[in-house]
Amino acid sequence: MKHIIPLINLSLLFSLTFHDDLIPLSFDGEELGSPFVGGFNRPKIQWLDWDMDGDVDLFLLDASGYLRYFVNEGSASSPDFHLITPMFQEIACGGWFYFADYDGDGDMDLTAQNIENPNIISYFRNNGGELAFLSVLITNLDYVYSYSVMTPTFADIDGDGDLDFFTGNMTGTLNYYENVSGLSELPLFEFITSSWQDIYIVGGVRTEDRHGASAITFIDLDGDGDLDLSWGDYYQQSLYIIWNSGDAQNPYMVEVTNQYPPETPMESAGQNMPTFADLDGDGDNDLFVTVLSGAFGNQLVNNFHHYENIGSSSSPTYEYRTNNYFSMLDVFSNGSPEFVDIDFDGDLDLFIANQYDLSSTPWVGHIYLFKNNGTDNGPIYEEVSSSLSGKNMGQMLSPEFGDLDGDGDPDLLLGDFNGFIQYFENVSMNDELNFTLIGSVGDIDLSGNSVPTLGDLDGDGDLDMLIGQLNGDVAFYRNGGTNLQHAFIEEGLLDIQVQSNSAPELFDVDDDGDLDLFLGSGTEGILFHENIGDAFSFDFMYKLLLSVPLLGPNVKPAVGRLFNEEALDIIAGVLAGGAYHVQILNCENLGDMNGDGGWNVLDIVALANCILAANCNDVYNGCVGDMNGDGGHNVLDIVALANCVLASTCSG
């Protein structure tokens, strides 16, 4: 029996789950391990054991302003990271973040750049796994300040058991704030100096010609019991190490290594952020460097570097492994995906366009084709070349396919940076994919970032068009021609608007014969509008928001059923150049973990057990345990299930 998915109340009936490796995908001849984690532009990262299972997990922050949480489903010696959510507890962090146990209660609290004032610091206290904003960090006289372009750090530099605060200056020095409250509910700091240890950085020497300290990390690199300083400078393309010749209570920073690691010095576009973690379980720290992109240009791909420590904890020797640690899909900037069965084999192929590609000159947009070499319920995507490769089609490309000339194959409409819609006729022959540019569609000029989608909205047998716009409007163009010769006529704007960069996609979600609307937004996520009209006269009504952080000028969702009729799959392009795979599953009987049709203490026990075993997704219907609809399973879901069992309200 076919299961219909009426998207009425996602939090009660459905699970929104992010999948990074459910769909096999090869890019540039390499099979990617985690293709759908969104891409990383200027990522800041931190390794910590958030779920307290004995191995390190990962938090990552980039242009979205939200934390991506990757759980380690492997072990301390053989990690296996998977994306749980790109909007961890929906906390907006600004430009940097740092987890630590500031109050000494055994769990991780959070500090982050304040959203309203980027020079002060928000403090979130951990209450049973949920981070709640408490206050901003203060001194006995004023705020604790951190310049907005810096990535600061905390460290116990004086060996008194609490965490002190360090942040860089654009002048190339370090601000030092001493923690004077010890382990308390709200840490209190005292400003000590704006030139800690008289460090002035440029080229590894002390000089008045200064650069900014954009990313700093304290770590004992030589195993002598005190903290050394790893420093990513705004202009420097490698890393500095400033060695501590003092002790754990009395640091004395003198000697500088200005090209690190010495065996294979880090080289990038500049502004490197170092972090350290033992990810192979051999007792020493490996080195990870993310590129924040400084004065030498933008580095939008291949910016998550991994150096394995093949030496020891006291004498590290680093061997370079990769610049794509997560083995993810990244097409430079502003991915814009679209599904279409381009080869008529019964399954959905995938096109992804972008804003521009820095690997070619001039910087123009590119369209990648990923053919589905799997089946209609088991996709396997592999990048292949097409006639669209290498053509200068402008920037900010957004593809849409449909048969516009009645010859039975899908033609291409391409939105671009200028607000035009380009029409490419499909002239493929003998299994050789080929598109020919015919010209712009009519006199359409929307003044920037046009995003088209096609569908028969008036039931006359031909394809009409919706176009998303830079200002958030959605324009409707009725096809006044025929299914053999299109003729788009402007009908005005829909009574629908997002804050910016609307990106529409039409799909019959509920199988009622009319097209529903998914609307990507540059700021809000993906908004779903149900068509409450019919196949001949559409009427879109807003239903819900899917919390997918898109961000960007033309990113849009591609919607289809890749595996079966019970799941709706969305490939969402994002600003960072990658994509998310989001799956919506029917979750009737939410919380009924054992499938007996009721809700009782046995369901609570089953949920707790699968959370401890990290295998909740493997139960008979993996989404039933996601009580709060955040895409993961944790103690908050246990609390929600226990509450509704006690109140006898689980069925509603």
Side-chain angles (χ1 to χ4, degrees):
M1 180 178 177
K2 189 175 185 179
H3 293 269
I4 306 300
I5 302 182
L7 292 173
I8 299 173
N9 189 334
L10 187 67
S11 64
L12 293 180
L13 296 180
F14 301 93
S15 171
L16 179 71
T17 305
F18 291 86
H19 293 284
D20 49 12
D21 64 353
L22 188 61
I23 303 173
L25 183 142
S26 297
F27 183 60
D28 196 23
E30 175 188 355
E31 184 174 347
L32 303 180
S34 301
F36 296 106
V37 298
F40 303 148
N41 286 358
R42 305 174 180 90
K44 293 101 171 175
I45 66 172
Q46 188 178 357
W47 310 94
L48 67 145
D49 186 6
W50 175 259
D51 55 8
M52 295 183 290
D53 63 350
D55 53 43
V56 293
D57 310 299
L58 175 68
F59 285 89
L60 183 146
L61 175 71
D62 63 4
S64 73
Y66 292 96
L67 289 170
R68 279 183 251 186
Y69 171 46
F70 296 83
V71 68
N72 186 353
E73 296 181 357
S75 65
S77 60
S78 182
D80 182 19
F81 294 99
H82 289 277
L83 177 67
I84 299 300
T85 174
M87 300 181 70
F88 182 72
Q89 298 189 14
E90 298 191 7
I91 295 173
C93 289
W96 63 267
F97 72 101
Y98 195 89
F99 281 97
D101 184 9
Y102 297 96
D103 54 9
D105 63 353
D107 55 32
M108 292 289 180
D109 312 297
L110 174 68
T111 54
Q113 183 184 58
N114 186 272
I115 295 298
E116 296 179 354
N117 184 346
N119 291 326
I120 63 176
I121 303 167
S122 296
Y123 176 60
F124 300 82
R125 194 177 185 204
N126 189 335
N127 297 311
E130 184 172 5
L131 297 167
F133 174 76
L134 185 62
S135 182
V136 296
L137 294 188
I138 57 174
T139 71
N140 48 4
L141 299 174
D142 203 350
Y143 296 118
V144 178
Y145 289 102
S146 174
Y147 293 109
S148 59
V149 296
M150 303 302 169
T151 304
T153 194
F154 292 82
D156 183 10
I157 199 64
D158 51 12
D160 64 353
D162 55 38
L163 294 173
D164 310 297
F165 179 66
F166 293 85
T167 182
N169 293 308
M170 286 301 294
T171 57
T173 65
L174 289 180
N175 288 336
Y176 169 45
Y177 292 81
E178 183 184 358
N179 189 335
V180 295
S181 62
L183 300 174
S184 62
E185 182 172 322
L186 179 62
L188 178 66
F189 295 85
E190 180 181 349
F191 176 70
I192 302 300
T193 179
S194 61
S195 183
W196 184 71
Q197 295 280 309
D198 283 336
I199 296 172
Y200 296 87
I201 286 292
V202 63
V205 299
R206 300 166 187 254
T207 175
E208 294 299 319
D209 298 323
R210 305 167 191 168
H211 294 171
S214 61
I216 50 177
T217 300
F218 283 96
I219 184 168
D220 183 5
L221 277 176
D222 51 11
D224 63 352
D226 55 41
L227 295 174
D228 309 296
L229 176 59
S230 179
W231 177 303
D233 181 82
Y234 187 79
Y235 285 88
Q236 174 67 305
Q237 295 171 279
S238 188
L239 292 174
Y240 301 112
I241 302 296
I242 306 176
W243 302 94
N244 189 348
S245 298
D247 56 41
Q249 290 77 38
N250 301 284
Y252 183 51
M253 319 297 290
V254 253
E255 185 180 355
V256 178
T257 299
N258 61 12
Q259 295 286 314
Y260 197 83
E263 301 85 8
T264 312
M266 177 70 195
E267 294 183 2
S268 74
Q271 198 177 3
N272 303 313
M273 177 180 171
T275 60
F276 297 84
D278 180 10
L279 289 189
D280 51 12
D282 62 354
D284 54 45
N285 283 312
D286 307 297
L287 169 64
F288 299 86
V289 186
T290 55
V291 182
L292 307 185
S293 196
F296 295 96
N298 291 321
Q299 184 160 327
L300 300 180
V301 295
N302 300 328
N303 52 16
F304 196 160
H305 298 255
H306 171 212
Y307 292 82
E308 182 184 354
N309 186 353
I310 60 173
S312 65
S313 57
S314 60
S315 183
T317 301
Y318 295 101
E319 196 166 282
Y320 186 73
R321 295 300 185 217
T322 182
N323 57 14
N324 185 9
Y325 179 70
F326 264 85
S327 186
M328 63 180 177
L329 174 66
D330 193 336
V331 295
F332 283 97
S333 62
N334 293 294
S336 186
E338 183 62 28
F339 286 128
V340 62
D341 184 5
I342 199 68
D343 52 7
F344 300 100
D345 64 350
D347 52 43
L348 292 174
D349 306 296
L350 175 65
F351 286 82
I352 300 181
N354 64 4
Q355 176 182 355
Y356 51 71
D357 190 329
L358 299 185
S359 65
S360 60
T361 303
W363 294 358
V364 296
H366 187 86
I367 301 178
Y368 299 87
L369 167 60
F370 297 86
K371 280 192 66 176
N372 188 347
N373 293 323
T375 64
D376 58 355
N377 60 6
I380 301 174
Y381 286 113
E382 181 178 355
E383 183 210 5
V384 298
S385 62
S386 73
S387 68
L388 298 173
S389 302
K391 290 185 177 180
N392 187 345
M393 296 174 287
Q395 293 188 356
M396 220 76 77
L397 305 180
S398 186
E400 174 68 10
F401 293 86
D403 184 6
L404 294 172
D405 54 9
D407 63 355
D409 55 34
D411 307 298
L412 169 65
L413 293 184
L414 191 63
D416 63 19
F417 172 79
N418 297 308
F420 304 139
I421 305 293
Q422 303 177 62
Y423 171 46
F424 292 80
E425 183 181 351
N426 190 337
V427 294
S428 304
M429 296 182 64
N430 300 322
D431 297 325
E432 291 292 327
L433 191 60
N434 192 16
F435 290 88
T436 296
L437 175 63
I438 303 300
S440 297
V441 177
D443 58 354
I444 296 175
D445 182 358
L446 299 178
S447 302
N449 302 344
S450 55
V451 183
T453 187
L454 294 168
D456 185 3
L457 291 169
D458 55 10
D460 63 352
D462 53 37
L463 294 173
D464 309 297
M465 179 167 54
L466 299 179
I467 305 177
Q469 301 184 51
L470 177 66
N471 64 1
D473 287 330
V474 180
F476 172 47
Y477 286 78
R478 190 183 305 276
N479 191 344
T482 68
N483 60 355
L484 300 177
Q485 181 63 50
H486 62 272
F488 292 107
I489 303 169
E490 184 178 2
E491 295 282 345
L493 301 176
L494 301 187
D495 189 22
I496 295 172
Q497 187 179 46
V498 294
Q499 293 181 20
S500 68
N501 303 108
S502 57
E505 178 77 353
L506 293 167
F507 190 85
D508 186 5
V509 172
D510 46 15
D511 292 337
D512 63 351
D514 54 44
L515 294 170
D516 307 296
L517 174 65
F518 290 87
L519 189 60
S521 164
T523 54
E524 297 164 65
I526 300 176
L527 296 86
F528 174 73
H529 296 76
E530 182 185 1
N531 190 347
I532 60 173
D534 53 39
F536 304 96
S537 180
F538 64 90
D539 183 9
F540 296 119
M541 176 181 288
Y542 172 74
K543 286 294 186 178
L544 56 89
L545 172 68
L546 306 182
S547 295
V548 179
L550 300 184
L551 298 178
N554 73 338
V555 291
K556 66 176 288 188
V559 182
R561 302 193 193 277
L562 296 177
F563 293 91
N564 53 60
E565 296 297 324
E566 297 182 1
L568 189 68
D569 297 277
I570 298 175
I571 303 295
V574 295
L575 175 67
Y580 293 117
H581 172 213
V582 183
Q583 195 170 67
I584 300 174
L585 295 175
N586 190 335
C587 271
E588 296 182 42
N589 300 323
L590 192 67
D592 180 16
M593 296 297 298
N594 56 13
D596 65 357
W599 294 266
N600 52 48
V601 68
L602 297 178
D603 298 301
I604 301 173
V605 172
L607 179 57
N609 287 339
C610 76
I611 289 173
L612 290 172
N615 64 353
C616 289
N617 289 327
D618 297 332
V619 300
Y620 82 100
N621 185 358
C623 60
V624 299
D626 183 15
M627 297 296 295
N628 58 8
D630 65 356
H633 301 88
N634 53 46
V635 67
L636 298 179
D637 298 303
I638 298 175
V639 172
L641 180 56
N643 287 339
C644 76
V645 168
L646 291 172
S648 300
T649 59
C650 291
S651 61

